[in-house]
Amino acid sequence: MSESSSASLSDPLSRIAELPGVNDAIDETRTLVDRLRDHRILRRRSNDVSLESSLRGACASAALEGAEVSMDEIREGHVYDTRIKGALRIGGELGGLVDTWPKAPRQTLARLHTLAAADAVSEEALGRPRLEGERIEDPLELGPAPSAAVASARLEGLYRLLESRTKVPALVTSSLVHGELMAIRPFGWGDGLVARAAERLTLIERGLDPKSLVASESGHRTLKDEYGPALRGYMAGTPEGVGDWIVYCCRAVLAGAQDSLATCEALKRG
């Protein structure tokens, strides 16, 4: 048995990492993220960049849910839409969830949904996977979601993935987390906010972006015309669709890193 075949058996995700185009996309994205992490301004103003990234990410994630709000409005506190308020709550607490994410993914996802939907759903529905027959929001027009029973079963598989310590790159795991949450839409409201936060949380926890500098949500907004089609490809379940989704997510993270590099340059210029 070859070394590659042995690795695939011991870590099934390695097969996904070997899909066409995935390694090149990972290398390109990781190179730019490393460049961001090495930027001189971070020696003194890392927290400022992280905060700006969090705000920009929240603004972008809410916009993908259909809530258009400007960064000026956010900075001035003129925030009234439930979607942007939820995104901002998530951004404010994301750093505190890093340690619990791999140990207790079920509780972490419940907390993310509670933050996202505090002003939008009943108290009984906060952090609780949807029940059969409950309304499912679909701002990206992905089509029908699986039944509540199927969604629950797929969530269990996602929890096992997160609790395992795979050796595949963080960008593969984060893409699968994002794609799976969007495919099953476990809560019915705010699933996009939760999925994009979970992707970012995975990138932080798995070491690609430990200081949360990359506004990956902004990258998805930049590539919004490709976002829905890439997700539908992932949902089809073919190797090509899954591989294309991971490549797309790498490009979104790369675009988010470029956004944060622009923030660093602006701070450098004063």
Side-chain angles (χ1 to χ4, degrees), residues 61-85:
S61 196
L64 289 166
E65 295 294 293
E68 289 295 341
V69 62
S70 70
M71 285 298 297
D72 286 341
E73 290 174 301
I74 289 177
R75 291 191 178 97
E76 293 167 3
H78 298 158
V79 175
Y80 310 104
D81 191 288
T82 55
R83 293 161 291 188
I84 185 60
K85 288 196 286 185

mmCIF file of all heavy atoms in Angstrom, residues 61-85:
data_model
loop_
_atom_site.group_PDB
_atom_site.id
_atom_site.type_symbol
_atom_site.label_atom_id
_atom_site.label_comp_id
_atom_site.label_asym_id
_atom_site.label_seq_id
_atom_site.Cartn_x
_atom_site.Cartn_y
_atom_site.Cartn_z
ATOM 1 N N SER A 61 -21.165 39.750 6.354
ATOM 2 C CA SER A 61 -22.002 38.577 6.605
ATOM 3 C C SER A 61 -23.475 38.963 6.648
ATOM 4 O O SER A 61 -24.335 38.268 6.090
ATOM 5 C CB SER A 61 -21.586 37.903 7.915
ATOM 6 O OG SER A 61 -22.113 36.600 8.016
ATOM 7 N N ALA A 62 -23.777 40.083 7.285
ATOM 8 C CA ALA A 62 -25.165 40.551 7.331
ATOM 9 C C ALA A 62 -25.662 40.921 5.937
ATOM 10 O O ALA A 62 -26.817 40.653 5.582
ATOM 11 C CB ALA A 62 -25.289 41.743 8.272
ATOM 12 N N ALA A 63 -24.795 41.526 5.131
ATOM 13 C CA ALA A 63 -25.180 41.897 3.768
ATOM 14 C C ALA A 63 -25.542 40.663 2.945
ATOM 15 O O ALA A 63 -26.473 40.695 2.133
ATOM 16 C CB ALA A 63 -24.060 42.671 3.095
ATOM 17 N N LEU A 64 -24.827 39.566 3.172
ATOM 18 C CA LEU A 64 -25.130 38.324 2.455
ATOM 19 C C LEU A 64 -26.459 37.725 2.885
ATOM 20 O O LEU A 64 -27.031 36.899 2.175
ATOM 21 C CB LEU A 64 -23.991 37.320 2.657
ATOM 22 C CG LEU A 64 -22.687 37.678 1.929
ATOM 23 C CD1 LEU A 64 -21.528 36.846 2.455
ATOM 24 C CD2 LEU A 64 -22.843 37.488 0.422
ATOM 25 N N GLU A 65 -26.946 38.157 4.047
ATOM 26 C CA GLU A 65 -28.280 37.753 4.503
ATOM 27 C C GLU A 65 -29.354 38.718 4.005
ATOM 28 O O GLU A 65 -30.536 38.531 4.271
ATOM 29 C CB GLU A 65 -28.319 37.702 6.031
ATOM 30 C CG GLU A 65 -27.431 36.642 6.650
ATOM 31 C CD GLU A 65 -27.896 35.234 6.301
ATOM 32 O OE1 GLU A 65 -28.982 34.831 6.748
ATOM 33 O OE2 GLU A 65 -27.155 34.543 5.565
ATOM 34 N N GLY A 66 -28.920 39.791 3.316
ATOM 35 C CA GLY A 66 -29.867 40.754 2.778
ATOM 36 C C GLY A 66 -29.965 42.044 3.556
ATOM 37 O O GLY A 66 -30.822 42.884 3.266
ATOM 38 N N ALA A 67 -29.091 42.256 4.542
ATOM 39 C CA ALA A 67 -29.126 43.468 5.369
ATOM 40 C C ALA A 67 -28.026 44.420 4.918
ATOM 41 O O ALA A 67 -26.865 44.248 5.297
ATOM 42 C CB ALA A 67 -28.945 43.123 6.840
ATOM 43 N N GLU A 68 -28.371 45.388 4.126
ATOM 44 C CA GLU A 68 -27.387 46.348 3.633
ATOM 45 C C GLU A 68 -27.182 47.455 4.659
ATOM 46 O O GLU A 68 -28.118 48.172 5.019
ATOM 47 C CB GLU A 68 -27.830 46.939 2.302
ATOM 48 C CG GLU A 68 -27.765 45.952 1.143
ATOM 49 C CD GLU A 68 -26.351 45.498 0.803
ATOM 50 O OE1 GLU A 68 -25.389 46.198 1.196
ATOM 51 O OE2 GLU A 68 -26.212 44.453 0.162
ATOM 52 N N VAL A 69 -25.968 47.598 5.134
ATOM 53 C CA VAL A 69 -25.633 48.644 6.093
ATOM 54 C C VAL A 69 -24.195 49.057 5.826
ATOM 55 O O VAL A 69 -23.360 48.225 5.458
ATOM 56 C CB VAL A 69 -25.818 48.150 7.549
ATOM 57 C CG1 VAL A 69 -24.892 46.977 7.838
ATOM 58 C CG2 VAL A 69 -25.593 49.270 8.549
ATOM 59 N N SER A 70 -23.889 50.327 5.986
ATOM 60 C CA SER A 70 -22.540 50.814 5.692
ATOM 61 C C SER A 70 -21.650 50.703 6.924
ATOM 62 O O SER A 70 -22.135 50.644 8.067
ATOM 63 C CB SER A 70 -22.586 52.273 5.232
ATOM 64 O OG SER A 70 -22.929 53.123 6.322
ATOM 65 N N MET A 71 -20.357 50.705 6.687
ATOM 66 C CA MET A 71 -19.412 50.687 7.796
ATOM 67 C C MET A 71 -19.536 51.949 8.633
ATOM 68 O O MET A 71 -19.367 51.915 9.854
ATOM 69 C CB MET A 71 -17.983 50.529 7.264
ATOM 70 C CG MET A 71 -17.642 49.122 6.781
ATOM 71 S SD MET A 71 -17.742 47.880 8.105
ATOM 72 C CE MET A 71 -16.461 48.487 9.224
ATOM 73 N N ASP A 72 -19.837 53.081 8.005
ATOM 74 C CA ASP A 72 -20.016 54.322 8.767
ATOM 75 C C ASP A 72 -21.181 54.188 9.744
ATOM 76 O O ASP A 72 -21.088 54.629 10.902
ATOM 77 C CB ASP A 72 -20.265 55.496 7.815
ATOM 78 C CG ASP A 72 -19.004 55.928 7.081
ATOM 79 O OD1 ASP A 72 -17.899 55.591 7.558
ATOM 80 O OD2 ASP A 72 -19.118 56.587 6.041
ATOM 81 N N GLU A 73 -22.270 53.578 9.299
ATOM 82 C CA GLU A 73 -23.415 53.380 10.188
ATOM 83 C C GLU A 73 -23.056 52.472 11.353
ATOM 84 O O GLU A 73 -23.478 52.704 12.494
ATOM 85 C CB GLU A 73 -24.590 52.791 9.399
ATOM 86 C CG GLU A 73 -25.239 53.755 8.415
ATOM 87 C CD GLU A 73 -26.287 53.071 7.566
ATOM 88 O OE1 GLU A 73 -25.935 52.099 6.862
ATOM 89 O OE2 GLU A 73 -27.450 53.503 7.596
ATOM 90 N N ILE A 74 -22.270 51.446 11.088
ATOM 91 C CA ILE A 74 -21.853 50.536 12.155
ATOM 92 C C ILE A 74 -20.980 51.268 13.163
ATOM 93 O O ILE A 74 -21.176 51.159 14.382
ATOM 94 C CB ILE A 74 -21.104 49.326 11.554
ATOM 95 C CG1 ILE A 74 -22.086 48.428 10.809
ATOM 96 C CG2 ILE A 74 -20.390 48.534 12.648
ATOM 97 C CD1 ILE A 74 -21.451 47.252 10.115
ATOM 98 N N ARG A 75 -20.012 52.031 12.660
ATOM 99 C CA ARG A 75 -19.105 52.735 13.569
ATOM 100 C C ARG A 75 -19.839 53.789 14.398
ATOM 101 O O ARG A 75 -19.467 54.056 15.542
ATOM 102 C CB ARG A 75 -17.979 53.390 12.774
ATOM 103 C CG ARG A 75 -17.014 52.381 12.148
ATOM 104 C CD ARG A 75 -15.762 53.070 11.604
ATOM 105 N NE ARG A 75 -14.838 52.103 11.051
ATOM 106 C CZ ARG A 75 -14.743 51.802 9.753
ATOM 107 N NH1 ARG A 75 -15.538 52.415 8.878
ATOM 108 N NH2 ARG A 75 -13.881 50.915 9.317
ATOM 109 N N GLU A 76 -20.886 54.363 13.838
ATOM 110 C CA GLU A 76 -21.651 55.387 14.551
ATOM 111 C C GLU A 76 -22.734 54.792 15.444
ATOM 112 O O GLU A 76 -23.433 55.513 16.152
ATOM 113 C CB GLU A 76 -22.286 56.349 13.540
ATOM 114 C CG GLU A 76 -21.251 57.196 12.790
ATOM 115 C CD GLU A 76 -21.855 57.905 11.587
ATOM 116 O OE1 GLU A 76 -23.097 57.771 11.388
ATOM 117 O OE2 GLU A 76 -21.100 58.569 10.845
ATOM 118 N N GLY A 77 -22.871 53.472 15.410
ATOM 119 C CA GLY A 77 -23.865 52.814 16.249
ATOM 120 C C GLY A 77 -25.277 52.864 15.720
ATOM 121 O O GLY A 77 -26.229 52.577 16.458
ATOM 122 N N HIS A 78 -25.440 53.201 14.442
ATOM 123 C CA HIS A 78 -26.777 53.282 13.838
ATOM 124 C C HIS A 78 -27.144 51.917 13.255
ATOM 125 O O HIS A 78 -27.178 51.724 12.034
ATOM 126 C CB HIS A 78 -26.808 54.360 12.761
ATOM 127 C CG HIS A 78 -26.524 55.733 13.294
ATOM 128 N ND1 HIS A 78 -26.067 56.759 12.504
ATOM 129 C CD2 HIS A 78 -26.612 56.244 14.556
ATOM 130 C CE1 HIS A 78 -25.890 57.848 13.249
ATOM 131 N NE2 HIS A 78 -26.209 57.547 14.495
ATOM 132 N N VAL A 79 -27.384 50.970 14.136
ATOM 133 C CA VAL A 79 -27.644 49.598 13.728
ATOM 134 C C VAL A 79 -29.001 49.168 14.270
ATOM 135 O O VAL A 79 -29.211 49.159 15.487
ATOM 136 C CB VAL A 79 -26.540 48.653 14.257
ATOM 137 C CG1 VAL A 79 -26.879 47.214 13.941
ATOM 138 C CG2 VAL A 79 -25.189 49.020 13.661
ATOM 139 N N TYR A 80 -29.914 48.821 13.376
ATOM 140 C CA TYR A 80 -31.270 48.465 13.797
ATOM 141 C C TYR A 80 -31.720 47.109 13.250
ATOM 142 O O TYR A 80 -32.588 46.473 13.830
ATOM 143 C CB TYR A 80 -32.263 49.542 13.348
ATOM 144 C CG TYR A 80 -31.820 50.933 13.738
ATOM 145 C CD1 TYR A 80 -31.280 51.814 12.793
ATOM 146 C CD2 TYR A 80 -31.905 51.371 15.062
ATOM 147 C CE1 TYR A 80 -30.846 53.081 13.150
ATOM 148 C CE2 TYR A 80 -31.483 52.638 15.431
ATOM 149 C CZ TYR A 80 -30.956 53.490 14.460
ATOM 150 O OH TYR A 80 -30.525 54.740 14.826
ATOM 151 N N ASP A 81 -31.152 46.675 12.161
ATOM 152 C CA ASP A 81 -31.551 45.421 11.548
ATOM 153 C C ASP A 81 -31.109 44.242 12.415
ATOM 154 O O ASP A 81 -29.976 44.206 12.904
ATOM 155 C CB ASP A 81 -30.916 45.308 10.148
ATOM 156 C CG ASP A 81 -31.488 44.172 9.340
ATOM 157 O OD1 ASP A 81 -31.198 43.006 9.659
ATOM 158 O OD2 ASP A 81 -32.219 44.436 8.365
ATOM 159 N N THR A 82 -31.990 43.266 12.600
ATOM 160 C CA THR A 82 -31.677 42.114 13.449
ATOM 161 C C THR A 82 -30.479 41.328 12.923
ATOM 162 O O THR A 82 -29.706 40.761 13.706
ATOM 163 C CB THR A 82 -32.882 41.164 13.555
ATOM 164 O OG1 THR A 82 -33.309 40.792 12.232
ATOM 165 C CG2 THR A 82 -34.031 41.831 14.276
ATOM 166 N N ARG A 83 -30.293 41.309 11.599
ATOM 167 C CA ARG A 83 -29.204 40.526 11.022
ATOM 168 C C ARG A 83 -27.847 41.150 11.322
ATOM 169 O O ARG A 83 -26.899 40.442 11.675
ATOM 170 C CB ARG A 83 -29.421 40.371 9.514
ATOM 171 C CG ARG A 83 -30.633 39.520 9.180
ATOM 172 C CD ARG A 83 -31.131 39.709 7.768
ATOM 173 N NE ARG A 83 -31.710 41.047 7.579
ATOM 174 C CZ ARG A 83 -32.353 41.432 6.490
ATOM 175 N NH1 ARG A 83 -32.505 40.580 5.477
ATOM 176 N NH2 ARG A 83 -32.849 42.647 6.373
ATOM 177 N N ILE A 84 -27.734 42.476 11.200
ATOM 178 C CA ILE A 84 -26.455 43.099 11.500
ATOM 179 C C ILE A 84 -26.183 43.083 12.998
ATOM 180 O O ILE A 84 -25.043 42.896 13.441
ATOM 181 C CB ILE A 84 -26.358 44.533 10.922
ATOM 182 C CG1 ILE A 84 -24.965 45.111 11.147
ATOM 183 C CG2 ILE A 84 -27.404 45.441 11.502
ATOM 184 C CD1 ILE A 84 -23.833 44.352 10.537
ATOM 185 N N LYS A 85 -27.219 43.233 13.817
ATOM 186 C CA LYS A 85 -27.007 43.151 15.263
ATOM 187 C C LYS A 85 -26.515 41.757 15.656
ATOM 188 O O LYS A 85 -25.612 41.621 16.490
ATOM 189 C CB LYS A 85 -28.297 43.505 16.012
ATOM 190 C CG LYS A 85 -28.642 44.980 15.964
ATOM 191 C CD LYS A 85 -29.675 45.382 16.996
ATOM 192 C CE LYS A 85 -31.046 44.915 16.640
ATOM 193 N NZ LYS A 85 -32.083 45.416 17.593
#
